[in-house]
Amino acid sequence: MRSLRTGLSLAALLTGAAMFLTAPAAHAADTPLRDLAAAQGKVIGTAVTGSKLTGTYGSVTGTQFSSLTPGNAMKWGTVEPTQGSFDWSEADQIVAFAQAHHQQVRGHTLVWHNQNPGWLTNGSWTTAQLSTLLQNHISTEVGRYKGAITAWDVVNEAFNEDGTLRPTLWSNGLGSGYIAQALTWAHAADPDAKLYINDYNVEGVNAKSTALYNLVKSLKAQGVPIDGVGLQAHLVLGQVPSTLQQNIQRFADLGVDVAITELDVRMQLPATNASLAQQKADYKSVVAACAAVTRCVNVTVWGFTDSDSWVPSTFPGYGAATPYDENYAPKPAYYGIAEALGGTTTTPPPTNGACTATYSVSSQWNTGFTGQVTIACSGASLSSWKANWTYGAGQRITQAWNATCTQSGAAVSCANASYNGSVPDGGSVTFGFNGTWSGGNSVPTVTLG
Ligand code: G3I
């Protein structure tokens, strides 16, 4: 197991929606996940948003996890929105937090087809120019964090589902050799960082993971600096591939490390006791598969709380994909991770006796959006309800249906209509609304009153 890398040279860094009606137990298992993982020679990580690293979000991040991955802060579009003008603020903040909490940082990601700056994607470049741009990007970013990053996701999502190379800015412009070049440039900028190729739908043995396997094998044979393979693991409830451990093992046998880099398990909303129990089993089997293979070094969840997950906005109607609910209460999935890491079983807090309210944005355009809130009860019921939230980015509700909504400043309160105040045990009610936004449309936490 690689030890934490410290001793960062950067002066800047040195200075530098659901609500339970019945409050669930707010505390997780006695032994933090990071300690359980360390006892197994593993690292447990989470993706984070820099601006949220205070309060409960910050304390859970600091106490439970031994590795952080910036969810968006190190992507090209974030760090160089305008050519030659850099914004490292969120990335620096996350690295500084990690150092203060003795955590590793996984750098994510240097070469991808998404979240690139407009000036780059809209430009027309010769092969030589594109190559120079990529080399400079890698040298600048990896060089800036030299010594502070344990592992880089150097190349992200290079393959199609059938195992052919994905056509992107990079493969179209530079040919398939861009992967070896990117790894070589990253190695030159920080020879001690572990360099990974990362992808999704490569958790089981399939055409895509076999293409990745063949690529890694050939890169190794050519002496290209490749240290690891990242299996993202954005999974669907009940669908952990049965060949996961076998697949991890075959990569390990090539002489590279493996990390589960973006684990989440999405489910249809509202969550039920049964779906949360299945999710616990899914998390447990993924972590156990990693724990069983010596070279599987890190399991990272893609956001530890349902309030910081990409799932609801990308898959409307799905969510609850992470180990903690929106209120930072550990879910059964949390205990699944703990158990797979050898933790003594603590009975999870009961998931019954609660009604939850989940907010999601179902569509969004330049100035407007349509959202919905689903109130679901399990082991409890309501005869009337009020859903309350506070917008953090100036959004305004313009119209609502199946509820009466009022907004005062940032505070929104939506009361049931005459016909849907009753939410029976096991039932749910959804209301919708249109609104306007500018600058940001983040998902608020909804409380029921
Ligand atoms: O920051 C802007 C904000 O200023 C703007 O007002 C708002 C309006 O939509 O958007 C905000 O940016 C969003 C960004 O997340 C930060 O919240 C983008 O729209 C949104 O597209 C972006 O989504 C990210 C997604 O990658 C983009 O593909 C997710 O947060 C991030 O979790 C997700 O992560 C990826 C991994 O990098 C690679 N593997 C898949 C994984 C899930 O998609």
Side-chain angles (χ1 to χ4, degrees), residues 47 49 52 69-73 75 78 90 108-109 112 114-115 153 156-157 198-200 232 234 261-262 264 302-303 308-311 313-315 364-366 393 437-442:
T49 302
K52 298 184 179 176
T69 303
N72 290 294
K75 292 170 180 173
T78 304
E90 190 190 352
H108 175 85
T109 177
W112 194 23
N114 274 335
Q115 289 180 284
D153 289 333
N156 199 33
E157 302 174 1
N198 190 49
D199 216 323
Y200 62 90
Q232 292 187 6
H234 293 293
T261 51
E262 306 183 15
D264 51 28
W302 204 243
D308 191 34
S309 169
W310 69 297
V311 169
S313 57
T314 307
F315 300 98
Q364 179 175 302
W365 53 99
N366 44 358
W437 68 283
S438 66
N441 193 18
S442 50

Side-chain angles (χ1 to χ4, degrees), residues 122-404:
N122 298 332
S124 74
W125 315 101
T126 64
T127 302
Q129 287 171 327
L130 197 60
S131 178
T132 302
L133 283 168
L134 184 59
Q135 180 173 11
N136 286 343
H137 168 63
I138 291 173
S139 310
T140 302
E141 182 153 4
V142 177
R144 177 179 178 85
Y145 295 107
K146 183 174 190 286
I149 304 289
T150 302
W152 274 105
D153 289 333
V154 177
V155 177
N156 199 33
E157 302 174 1
F159 288 101
N160 293 315
E161 297 305 292
D162 66 0
T164 54
L165 199 63
R166 185 196 287 267
T168 67
L169 172 67
W170 307 115
S171 61
N172 295 342
L174 303 176
S176 60
Y178 85 90
I179 296 174
Q181 284 180 311
L183 289 160
T184 304
W185 291 328
H187 184 67
D190 184 353
D192 292 331
K194 299 286 188 192
L195 305 182
Y196 279 63
I197 301 182
N198 190 49
D199 216 323
Y200 62 90
N201 289 350
V202 292
E203 294 74 31
V205 174
N206 57 35
K208 192 175 185 180
S209 66
T210 299
L212 180 57
Y213 176 88
N214 290 333
L215 172 68
V216 171
K217 192 173 178 183
S218 121
L219 291 171
K220 290 283 284 183
Q222 295 167 64
V224 174
I226 170 79
D227 301 297
V229 168
L231 314 179
Q232 292 187 6
H234 293 293
L235 302 176
V236 175
L237 190 74
Q239 295 181 25
V240 178
S242 58
T243 50
L244 174 61
Q245 187 178 322
Q246 177 195 340
N247 192 42
I248 295 173
Q249 188 66 58
R250 73 168 172 159
F251 280 108
D253 291 344
L254 284 179
V256 291
D257 290 341
V258 178
I260 308 291
T261 51
E262 306 183 15
L263 176 60
D264 51 28
V265 180
R266 61 184 179 268
M267 62 177 71
Q268 210 162 355
L269 297 174
T272 64
N273 286 351
S275 57
L276 292 170
Q278 177 64 52
Q279 187 183 48
K280 174 184 178 182
D282 292 344
Y283 267 92
K284 188 172 179 176
S285 70
V286 172
V287 177
C290 181
V293 179
T294 309
R295 288 203 77 147
C296 187
V297 296
N298 179 313
V299 177
T300 288
V301 295
W302 204 243
F304 67 86
T305 158
D306 291 339
S307 65
D308 191 34
S309 169
W310 69 297
V311 169
S313 57
T314 307
F315 300 98
Y318 284 77
T322 79
Y324 285 79
D325 72 14
E326 288 91 339
N327 226 16
Y328 304 121
K331 292 158 55 181
Y334 171 92
Y335 297 94
I337 298 172
E339 287 170 21
L341 293 172
T344 47
T345 308
T346 308
T347 308
T351 55
N352 57 357
C355 296
T356 61
T358 307
Y359 180 112
S360 61
V361 175
S362 34
S363 68
Q364 179 175 302
W365 53 99
N366 44 358
T367 55
F369 68 99
T370 299
Q372 60 178 29
V373 168
T374 295
I375 298 167
C377 293
S378 178
S381 61
L382 296 170
S383 54
S384 67
W385 47 262
K386 223 175 219 184
N388 306 305
W389 66 88
T390 303
Y391 278 127
Q395 301 99 320
R396 292 214 61 88
I397 301 269
T398 53
Q399 181 196 7
W401 50 96
N402 297 334
T404 304

Side-chain angles (χ1 to χ4, degrees), residues 60-85:
V60 173
T61 301
T63 56
Q64 293 289 335
F65 297 97
S66 41
S67 173
L68 303 186
T69 303
N72 290 294
M74 289 186 175
K75 292 170 180 173
W76 198 335
T78 304
V79 302
E80 195 181 3
T82 305
Q83 188 170 15
S85 147

